[in-house]
Amino acid sequence: MSSNTATGKRNLVPIITMMFLFAMISFVTNMAAPFGNIWGNQYPWAGMLGNLMNFAAYLFMGIPAGKMLARVGYKKTALLALVLGFVGLGVQYLSSVFGADIAVFSTSVTEENYLGVTQTVDMPVTLNLFVYLIGAFICGFCVCMLNTVVNPMLNILGGGGKKGNQLLQTGSSLNSLAGSLTPMLVGALIGTVTSETSMGDVAPLLFIGMAVFAISYLIISLARIPEPALERAKADAAAGKAPLKFEHSPWNFRHFVLGAIGIFFYVGIEIGIPAELNFYLSDSGIESGAGILVNGAAIGGAIVMVYWLLMLVGRIASGAISGKISTRAQLLTVSGVGAILIFIAIMIPKTSRVEVPKFIYDPDAKTEYILTNVGLPTSAIEEFKNNPAGFEWDEKYVHPESKKEINLKEELWKQAKVKADDAPKMLETPTIPLSAIFLIICGLCTSLMWGGIFNLAVEGLGKYTEQASGIFMMLVVGGGIMPLVQHNLLAPSLGYMGSYWLVIAMLLYLFYYAFVGCKNVNKNIPVD
């Protein structure tokens, strides 16, 4: 048996283990944006806060996680990360059962009521929001540490270069598969976002995540993981060599610095495209949002799932071709094509729409929604179904369960932000803007970027690779900052689609990095 074959078999278990962890990273990370529909409906400014807290943890944990790799090794770092993930999801679940009746402070919100009158109301901000944010922050520590472990380990197991990138892209495929399931499951559990929607509706998903973390802990604790930094230090000590001296740092390498900036922007692109699309499709507003009156969250989750599935397709394809086509050529192509797709999406008018396939939503949920959440009695439901345009919006219907008289127009507005004049559209086959199709196709482009940027940026770093991985993880905070800028600063003034100009600018930077910035001009620095 050749030494290469023996090495390949010896590396098989750690490779599978690292790919499994790659999937867990995306499963947890992709909870934050769809969960934002729950909190954003209650507090308009809070939609991306969970995502921000998740990625803000990278800023604090990125460099310490890199140092942890060098001191305690890959396996112990991964095990601690899994414990933190279990605790973080548990804390998020607590937000569904604790703190909803405890006001921390109040904030003034200006909104239009069902009569079309703009009014300012005081809105109490309750403790459960902060409990959720703490849980998201803890989960951020988990995924940061897992990322710090997985990326350099797969690159090492692949031997660096094209083979290292090939393993990264293959592992990223599982990452995309897990990521595609999360928004779909959240959307299915929520259905339509109303004033009654809460974290309790997604508790089953949190329990699944906690169970997976517990099982993962057992698997990793039994698996044998290579420890290159620890083995190198042990061998040097046995040979009487002094510990490695780091005369420089990754910051002394220009191509790494530009690549680190690229990672900051890339994660903002990867998260920002589907997150803002999810908000857009879940917003039932005819003018502001996509105008899907019922099942918006379910449809949005299913559409965004396609984005992540296309990332899976792209990563599988990249894994197959990376042995023959250079990382630089791949990154150059996908960043340019991605910018073109986003530009087309922005330019297409919202009136250009396509029907939503019926298999991704429940048509019967529309009338069920009117009955259970708005309060129409069964006789009125039948009247509405038979003649929606001529339905009389009597404000003195009696709720079939509570027997209380309700203001139907007010309830319809309160529960789904739908005006009585728009309510007949609830029985129509829902459509989505054509722009959404071009946005989800971008998944094919973003699929290649993470592995490509990481591979190019750490090429030739040698003993500085672990430090570089920690810095990379710190700058993943861009996945929290840039989508927040897009959603909270740009979308209110430019609209959902106008906010994507920021994404185009970031894609153009990645095009520059692949074209010029990735070249190593500091080859004179010793890295052994």
Side-chain angles (χ1 to χ4, degrees):
M1 181 183 293
S2 66
S3 60
N4 288 338
T5 304
T7 300
K9 290 186 176 181
R10 188 169 61 248
N11 287 343
L12 182 60
V13 172
I15 287 174
I16 294 174
T17 303
M18 290 301 110
M19 291 184 177
F20 186 75
L21 291 181
F22 227 147
M24 289 303 302
I25 291 168
S26 187
F27 184 81
V28 174
T29 300
N30 285 358
M31 287 182 179
F35 283 2
N37 280 319
I38 299 174
W39 297 105
N41 186 64
Q42 187 173 354
Y43 310 108
W45 42 267
M48 290 301 290
L49 284 185
N51 185 70
L52 175 64
M53 293 298 289
N54 195 291
F55 282 98
Y58 282 83
L59 187 62
F60 297 94
M61 194 63 194
I63 292 178
K67 292 181 178 179
M68 191 178 300
L69 284 185
R71 293 179 180 176
V72 303
Y74 287 83
K75 184 172 183 176
K76 289 183 179 179
T77 303
L79 290 175
L80 178 57
L82 293 172
V83 171
L84 289 174
F86 184 91
V87 172
L89 292 182
V91 173
Q92 289 185 56
Y93 168 71
L94 286 179
S95 70
S96 69
V97 296
F98 171 73
D101 56 348
I102 303 175
V104 178
F105 61 88
S106 296
T107 182
S108 296
V109 177
T110 300
E111 59 180 21
E112 181 185 26
N113 66 12
Y114 74 103
L115 297 174
V117 177
T118 301
Q119 57 186 1
T120 301
V121 297
D122 288 331
M123 176 181 294
V125 180
T126 52
L127 181 61
N128 61 334
L129 171 62
F130 298 94
V131 174
Y132 163 71
L133 293 178
I134 291 172
F137 190 64
I138 296 173
C139 280
F141 280 111
C142 161
V143 293
C144 174
M145 294 168 68
L146 289 180
N147 256 318
T148 308
V149 168
V150 168
N151 288 279
M153 177 55 66
L154 283 178
N155 203 43
I156 290 169
L157 292 172
K162 292 180 180 179
K163 292 296 183 180
N165 183 47
Q166 191 171 26
L167 270 187
L168 280 170
Q169 298 295 0
T170 305
S172 297
S173 301
L174 290 178
N175 181 275
S176 298
L177 178 60
S180 68
L181 294 176
T182 305
M184 180 195 68
L185 292 173
V186 173
L189 290 171
I190 294 177
T192 303
V193 178
T194 73
S195 60
E196 304 299 320
T197 306
S198 70
M199 287 295 290
D201 295 321
V202 295
L205 188 61
L206 294 172
F207 291 143
I208 291 173
M210 292 171 69
V212 172
F213 272 129
I215 295 171
S216 301
Y217 185 93
L218 293 176
I219 294 174
I220 301 301
S221 63
L222 296 174
R224 183 176 180 180
I225 308 296
E227 301 287 0
L230 296 182
E231 291 169 3
R232 184 171 57 213
K234 184 178 179 180
D236 289 346
K241 294 182 179 179
L244 276 177
K245 293 183 179 180
F246 296 91
E247 300 86 358
H248 302 278
S249 79
W251 294 113
N252 293 113
F253 295 83
R254 174 180 172 273
H255 74 291
F256 169 77
V257 174
L258 296 179
I261 296 172
I263 281 292
F264 181 89
F265 285 152
Y266 161 69
V267 188
I269 294 168
E270 179 192 331
I271 300 298
I273 291 175
E276 199 64 24
L277 178 59
N278 205 339
F279 280 114
Y280 182 40
L281 296 178
S282 299
D283 187 341
S284 60
I286 303 297
E287 297 297 328
S288 61
I292 306 174
L293 301 184
V294 181
N295 283 326
I299 292 171
I303 297 299
V304 168
M305 179 194 71
V306 177
Y307 169 89
W308 294 105
L309 285 176
L310 288 177
M311 285 190 70
L312 169 63
V313 172
R315 284 170 171 170
I316 291 174
S318 179
I321 67 175
S322 288
K324 298 179 180 179
I325 300 178
S326 72
T327 303
R328 180 172 175 267
Q330 292 183 51
L331 183 59
L332 194 67
T333 300
V334 296
S335 57
V337 172
I340 293 172
L341 289 171
I342 298 291
F343 178 77
I344 294 173
I346 294 173
M347 292 294 105
I348 294 177
K350 187 164 58 172
T351 52
S352 299
R353 304 176 73 89
V354 293
E355 285 192 0
V356 177
K358 291 185 178 181
F359 65 85
I360 68 173
Y361 73 97
D362 180 7
D364 295 333
K366 286 181 274 189
T367 51
E368 181 182 348
Y369 171 81
I370 300 170
L371 175 64
T372 58
N373 290 319
V374 179
L376 281 171
T378 304
S379 58
I381 285 287
E382 292 302 318
E383 181 184 347
F384 181 52
K385 288 173 62 178
N386 295 331
N387 185 22
F391 181 74
E392 295 294 332
W393 290 92
D394 192 326
E395 298 185 3
K396 297 181 180 180
Y397 282 106
V398 176
H399 193 284
E401 295 179 359
S402 66
K403 306 303 180 184
K404 293 182 179 180
E405 188 176 276
I406 63 170
N407 182 325
L408 187 55
K409 294 180 181 178
E410 182 178 1
E411 284 298 311
L412 190 64
W413 174 259
K414 184 190 302 180
Q415 296 296 337
K417 295 294 187 292
V418 177
K419 295 181 179 179
D421 292 342
D422 293 326
K425 297 178 182 178
M426 298 171 80
L427 295 182
E428 298 175 358
T429 300
T431 61
I432 61 172
L434 183 59
S435 298
I437 305 300
F438 286 89
L439 292 176
I440 61 176
I441 293 175
C442 288
L444 289 171
C445 299
T446 56
S447 62
L448 281 65
M449 293 178 181
W450 171 272
I453 297 170
F454 186 89
N455 183 259
L456 290 172
V458 303
E459 190 71 26
L461 292 190
K463 63 184 179 182
Y464 300 105
T465 299
E466 283 81 8
Q467 292 181 29
S469 181
I471 294 172
F472 255 60
M473 294 310 108
M474 180 183 72
L475 291 176
V476 170
V477 70
I481 294 176
M482 301 313 291
L484 185 71
V485 171
Q486 182 182 356
H487 182 69
N488 284 34
L489 298 184
L490 298 183
S493 57
L494 302 179
Y496 289 105
M497 292 309 304
S499 71
Y500 279 95
W501 284 111
L502 176 63
V503 178
I504 288 181
M506 293 187 289
L507 284 167
L508 291 178
Y509 175 85
L510 295 185
F511 185 87
Y512 155 77
Y513 180 69
F515 190 66
V516 177
C518 66
K519 296 179 180 178
N520 185 357
V521 298
N522 304 99
K523 295 181 179 179
N524 59 319
I525 299 177
V527 296
D528 296 331

mmCIF file of all heavy atoms in Angstrom, residues 404-420:
data_model
loop_
_atom_site.group_PDB
_atom_site.id
_atom_site.type_symbol
_atom_site.label_atom_id
_atom_site.label_comp_id
_atom_site.label_asym_id
_atom_site.label_seq_id
_atom_site.Cartn_x
_atom_site.Cartn_y
_atom_site.Cartn_z
ATOM 1 N N LYS A 404 -67.156 37.484 21.493
ATOM 2 C CA LYS A 404 -67.064 38.942 21.637
ATOM 3 C C LYS A 404 -67.224 39.610 20.278
ATOM 4 O O LYS A 404 -66.801 39.102 19.254
ATOM 5 C CB LYS A 404 -65.719 39.326 22.243
ATOM 6 C CG LYS A 404 -65.545 38.880 23.690
ATOM 7 C CD LYS A 404 -64.190 39.349 24.232
ATOM 8 C CE LYS A 404 -64.019 38.926 25.688
ATOM 9 N NZ LYS A 404 -62.707 39.366 26.241
ATOM 10 N N GLU A 405 -67.877 40.778 20.324
ATOM 11 C CA GLU A 405 -68.038 41.548 19.094
ATOM 12 C C GLU A 405 -66.689 42.135 18.687
ATOM 13 O O GLU A 405 -65.947 42.643 19.526
ATOM 14 C CB GLU A 405 -69.055 42.663 19.336
ATOM 15 C CG GLU A 405 -69.459 43.410 18.078
ATOM 16 C CD GLU A 405 -70.549 44.426 18.370
ATOM 17 O OE1 GLU A 405 -71.735 44.048 18.398
ATOM 18 O OE2 GLU A 405 -70.193 45.606 18.580
ATOM 19 N N ILE A 406 -66.361 42.039 17.404
ATOM 20 C CA ILE A 406 -65.055 42.516 16.953
ATOM 21 C C ILE A 406 -65.214 43.558 15.855
ATOM 22 O O ILE A 406 -66.229 43.592 15.157
ATOM 23 C CB ILE A 406 -64.178 41.363 16.416
ATOM 24 C CG1 ILE A 406 -64.829 40.732 15.176
ATOM 25 C CG2 ILE A 406 -63.902 40.330 17.475
ATOM 26 C CD1 ILE A 406 -63.946 39.760 14.457
ATOM 27 N N ASN A 407 -64.203 44.402 15.746
ATOM 28 C CA ASN A 407 -64.089 45.339 14.635
ATOM 29 C C ASN A 407 -63.266 44.637 13.568
ATOM 30 O O ASN A 407 -62.052 44.524 13.677
ATOM 31 C CB ASN A 407 -63.407 46.627 15.098
ATOM 32 C CG ASN A 407 -63.296 47.667 13.996
ATOM 33 O OD1 ASN A 407 -63.100 47.335 12.835
ATOM 34 N ND2 ASN A 407 -63.431 48.929 14.375
ATOM 35 N N LEU A 408 -63.936 44.120 12.545
ATOM 36 C CA LEU A 408 -63.288 43.252 11.576
ATOM 37 C C LEU A 408 -62.143 43.957 10.837
ATOM 38 O O LEU A 408 -61.066 43.400 10.654
ATOM 39 C CB LEU A 408 -64.319 42.743 10.569
ATOM 40 C CG LEU A 408 -63.839 41.690 9.570
ATOM 41 C CD1 LEU A 408 -63.238 40.493 10.284
ATOM 42 C CD2 LEU A 408 -64.991 41.250 8.673
ATOM 43 N N LYS A 409 -62.367 45.203 10.432
ATOM 44 C CA LYS A 409 -61.325 45.944 9.719
ATOM 45 C C LYS A 409 -60.095 46.136 10.597
ATOM 46 O O LYS A 409 -58.958 45.987 10.151
ATOM 47 C CB LYS A 409 -61.861 47.301 9.262
ATOM 48 C CG LYS A 409 -62.945 47.219 8.213
ATOM 49 C CD LYS A 409 -63.422 48.612 7.828
ATOM 50 C CE LYS A 409 -64.544 48.536 6.792
ATOM 51 N NZ LYS A 409 -65.044 49.884 6.433
ATOM 52 N N GLU A 410 -60.353 46.444 11.859
ATOM 53 C CA GLU A 410 -59.235 46.674 12.782
ATOM 54 C C GLU A 410 -58.468 45.390 13.036
ATOM 55 O O GLU A 410 -57.233 45.391 13.067
ATOM 56 C CB GLU A 410 -59.751 47.242 14.099
ATOM 57 C CG GLU A 410 -58.646 47.564 15.096
ATOM 58 C CD GLU A 410 -59.172 48.167 16.376
ATOM 59 O OE1 GLU A 410 -60.409 48.318 16.506
ATOM 60 O OE2 GLU A 410 -58.357 48.484 17.253
ATOM 61 N N GLU A 411 -59.177 44.273 13.201
ATOM 62 C CA GLU A 411 -58.515 42.993 13.456
ATOM 63 C C GLU A 411 -57.689 42.545 12.255
ATOM 64 O O GLU A 411 -56.585 42.029 12.402
ATOM 65 C CB GLU A 411 -59.551 41.922 13.807
ATOM 66 C CG GLU A 411 -60.106 42.026 15.210
ATOM 67 C CD GLU A 411 -59.030 41.842 16.257
ATOM 68 O OE1 GLU A 411 -58.267 40.864 16.158
ATOM 69 O OE2 GLU A 411 -58.931 42.690 17.155
ATOM 70 N N LEU A 412 -58.255 42.749 11.055
ATOM 71 C CA LEU A 412 -57.534 42.358 9.850
ATOM 72 C C LEU A 412 -56.230 43.139 9.740
ATOM 73 O O LEU A 412 -55.178 42.595 9.406
ATOM 74 C CB LEU A 412 -58.404 42.595 8.618
ATOM 75 C CG LEU A 412 -57.904 42.017 7.290
ATOM 76 C CD1 LEU A 412 -57.866 40.505 7.353
ATOM 77 C CD2 LEU A 412 -58.783 42.480 6.140
ATOM 78 N N TRP A 413 -56.276 44.415 10.053
ATOM 79 C CA TRP A 413 -55.078 45.246 9.995
ATOM 80 C C TRP A 413 -54.086 44.870 11.096
ATOM 81 O O TRP A 413 -52.890 44.752 10.872
ATOM 82 C CB TRP A 413 -55.461 46.720 10.126
ATOM 83 C CG TRP A 413 -54.283 47.621 10.220
ATOM 84 C CD1 TRP A 413 -53.767 48.190 11.347
ATOM 85 C CD2 TRP A 413 -53.436 48.039 9.154
ATOM 86 N NE1 TRP A 413 -52.657 48.946 11.052
ATOM 87 C CE2 TRP A 413 -52.434 48.863 9.711
ATOM 88 C CE3 TRP A 413 -53.436 47.803 7.782
ATOM 89 C CZ2 TRP A 413 -51.439 49.441 8.934
ATOM 90 C CZ3 TRP A 413 -52.452 48.386 7.014
ATOM 91 C CH2 TRP A 413 -51.463 49.194 7.587
ATOM 92 N N LYS A 414 -54.611 44.645 12.286
ATOM 93 C CA LYS A 414 -53.753 44.334 13.428
ATOM 94 C C LYS A 414 -53.015 43.012 13.231
ATOM 95 O O LYS A 414 -51.824 42.906 13.523
ATOM 96 C CB LYS A 414 -54.601 44.257 14.707
ATOM 97 C CG LYS A 414 -53.786 44.024 15.967
ATOM 98 C CD LYS A 414 -54.692 43.715 17.156
ATOM 99 C CE LYS A 414 -55.685 44.831 17.405
ATOM 100 N NZ LYS A 414 -56.560 44.526 18.569
ATOM 101 N N GLN A 415 -53.714 42.003 12.722
ATOM 102 C CA GLN A 415 -53.117 40.675 12.627
ATOM 103 C C GLN A 415 -52.201 40.508 11.417
ATOM 104 O O GLN A 415 -51.184 39.830 11.504
ATOM 105 C CB GLN A 415 -54.208 39.603 12.569
ATOM 106 C CG GLN A 415 -55.066 39.517 13.807
ATOM 107 C CD GLN A 415 -54.280 39.100 15.029
ATOM 108 O OE1 GLN A 415 -53.231 38.480 14.906
ATOM 109 N NE2 GLN A 415 -54.758 39.449 16.202
ATOM 110 N N ALA A 416 -52.547 41.114 10.281
ATOM 111 C CA ALA A 416 -51.770 40.872 9.063
ATOM 112 C C ALA A 416 -51.428 42.136 8.288
ATOM 113 O O ALA A 416 -50.897 42.044 7.183
ATOM 114 C CB ALA A 416 -52.520 39.913 8.144
ATOM 115 N N LYS A 417 -51.708 43.301 8.870
ATOM 116 C CA LYS A 417 -51.435 44.573 8.191
ATOM 117 C C LYS A 417 -52.081 44.605 6.806
ATOM 118 O O LYS A 417 -51.506 45.093 5.832
ATOM 119 C CB LYS A 417 -49.927 44.810 8.084
ATOM 120 C CG LYS A 417 -49.237 44.979 9.426
ATOM 121 C CD LYS A 417 -49.697 46.252 10.126
ATOM 122 C CE LYS A 417 -48.891 46.540 11.387
ATOM 123 N NZ LYS A 417 -49.108 45.594 12.458
ATOM 124 N N VAL A 418 -53.318 44.050 6.708
ATOM 125 C CA VAL A 418 -54.058 44.026 5.452
ATOM 126 C C VAL A 418 -55.281 44.932 5.578
ATOM 127 O O VAL A 418 -56.045 44.821 6.534
ATOM 128 C CB VAL A 418 -54.518 42.593 5.101
ATOM 129 C CG1 VAL A 418 -55.357 42.603 3.834
ATOM 130 C CG2 VAL A 418 -53.323 41.682 4.945
ATOM 131 N N LYS A 419 -55.445 45.829 4.611
ATOM 132 C CA LYS A 419 -56.625 46.686 4.590
ATOM 133 C C LYS A 419 -57.801 45.933 3.980
ATOM 134 O O LYS A 419 -57.631 45.021 3.179
ATOM 135 C CB LYS A 419 -56.335 47.957 3.789
ATOM 136 C CG LYS A 419 -55.274 48.857 4.432
ATOM 137 C CD LYS A 419 -55.054 50.108 3.617
ATOM 138 C CE LYS A 419 -54.007 51.000 4.277
ATOM 139 N NZ LYS A 419 -53.747 52.242 3.503
ATOM 140 N N ALA A 420 -59.011 46.333 4.359
ATOM 141 C CA ALA A 420 -60.207 45.637 3.887
ATOM 142 C C ALA A 420 -60.286 45.610 2.366
ATOM 143 O O ALA A 420 -60.707 44.620 1.763
ATOM 144 C CB ALA A 420 -61.453 46.289 4.479
#
